[in-house]
Amino acid sequence: SYVQGINDLATPLIVVFISGYFPNKDVEEEVLSGEVMIDVTDAILEEIEADTYWCLTNLLAGIQDHYTSDQPGMQRMVMRLEELVNRIDADLAGHLRETGIEFLQFAFKWMNCLLLREFRLQRVLRLWDTYLSEGDGGFEDFHVYVCASFLVHYSAELQQMGFDDLFQFMQNMPTDDWTDREIEILLSSAFVLSTLFGGSEAHLNVVRN
């Protein structure tokens, strides 16, 4: 059944398939703005709908328990993120605890919508391209490392904030000016983390203060 957020996951797929029919149109200016829809015929739209449905079904098949009752997959990913941040940036993790910020309050959305609401769609396309290249674990395992790198990127700023500022910052991350370069740096950082901690439970064995 439908869970809030699934519709977001279809958006990058639709953009990619539309772009495939109009390779000479600028993705940023004409596709993402919706201008291209003037040229989309009913026949093309049906093809895009079918392709999007097939791809979304396969994407969801790999993360099924993210969208079942109580969403245990989401809970698992948030827990893994918290434990990972405890390991790689104990000062930030401690500050979040001291100010009363729970990871579930901000990271659930990151897991549920796969960062679609944190970045411009053009940046998400670059992000998902790497997820797909990572194979079966891209949208779950590697995504957690990306989220950890994303959070730690703002560590110095976050540690200067109190609860209200922290909460507001987490709900509206300042990424509007990010380009593919920043995304590639983020992905590189996540890859390093996945190399250090992937395939082990090392990041879960954290001694809490």
Side-chain angles (χ1 to χ4, degrees):
S1 62
Y2 177 78
V3 173
Q4 185 175 4
I6 290 180
N7 61 305
D8 290 49
L9 306 186
T11 307
L13 302 174
I14 293 171
V15 168
V16 168
F17 290 129
I18 289 177
S19 299
Y21 283 97
F22 303 98
N24 296 322
K25 291 189 180 292
D26 183 87
V27 173
E28 194 85 41
E29 297 295 329
E30 299 177 88
V31 177
L32 295 183
S33 69
E35 181 181 326
V36 72
M37 295 306 295
I38 298 174
D39 300 317
V40 176
T41 65
D42 288 345
I44 290 176
L45 193 59
E46 288 178 3
E47 292 289 336
I48 292 171
E49 181 180 359
D51 289 340
T52 299
Y53 179 81
W54 188 90
C55 288
L56 182 61
T57 299
N58 278 270
L59 169 60
L60 294 176
I63 50 176
Q64 287 186 37
D65 64 352
H66 292 203
Y67 302 102
T68 54
S69 178
D70 297 326
Q71 298 182 267
M74 299 291 181
Q75 307 280 351
R76 180 176 62 249
M77 290 173 73
V78 172
M79 181 192 74
R80 290 180 59 207
L81 174 63
E82 182 175 1
E83 301 295 359
L84 184 56
V85 173
N86 267 287
R87 186 65 180 266
I88 65 177
D89 195 336
D91 289 340
L92 174 58
H95 181 68
L96 293 177
R97 283 196 298 273
E98 289 170 6
T99 53
I101 294 289
E102 300 286 342
F103 274 72
L104 200 62
Q105 292 174 311
F106 64 88
F108 189 85
K109 181 178 66 168
W110 295 4
M111 306 308 176
N112 195 48
C113 299
L114 297 173
L115 293 176
L116 267 159
R117 299 184 182 181
E118 277 56 58
F119 295 107
R120 291 184 179 277
L121 194 51
Q122 185 76 341
R123 307 290 83 81
V124 173
L125 297 180
R126 176 65 186 87
L127 196 65
W128 280 29
D129 184 65
T130 297
Y131 286 4
L132 289 167
S133 72
E134 285 292 312
D136 292 340
F139 287 94
E140 178 161 348
D141 298 332
F142 192 72
H143 180 67
V144 172
Y145 296 115
V146 169
C147 289
S149 298
F150 184 44
L151 181 62
V152 170
H153 175 80
Y154 293 104
S155 179
E157 296 172 65
L158 294 172
Q159 290 185 59
Q160 302 302 314
M161 298 179 187
F163 180 88
D164 290 340
D165 289 338
L166 266 170
F167 191 81
Q168 184 175 1
F169 189 91
M170 293 296 197
Q171 297 303 313
N172 188 26
M173 303 293 278
T175 62
D176 284 349
D177 61 346
W178 278 44
T179 66
D180 280 353
R181 175 175 171 75
E182 283 76 28
I183 292 294
E184 286 162 7
I185 293 172
L186 180 68
L187 290 168
S188 295
S189 175
F191 181 77
V192 171
L193 292 179
S194 70
T195 301
L196 291 172
F197 299 107
S200 74
E201 296 301 317
H203 66 282
L204 295 179
N205 299 324
V206 179
V207 177
R208 294 183 178 276
N209 294 328

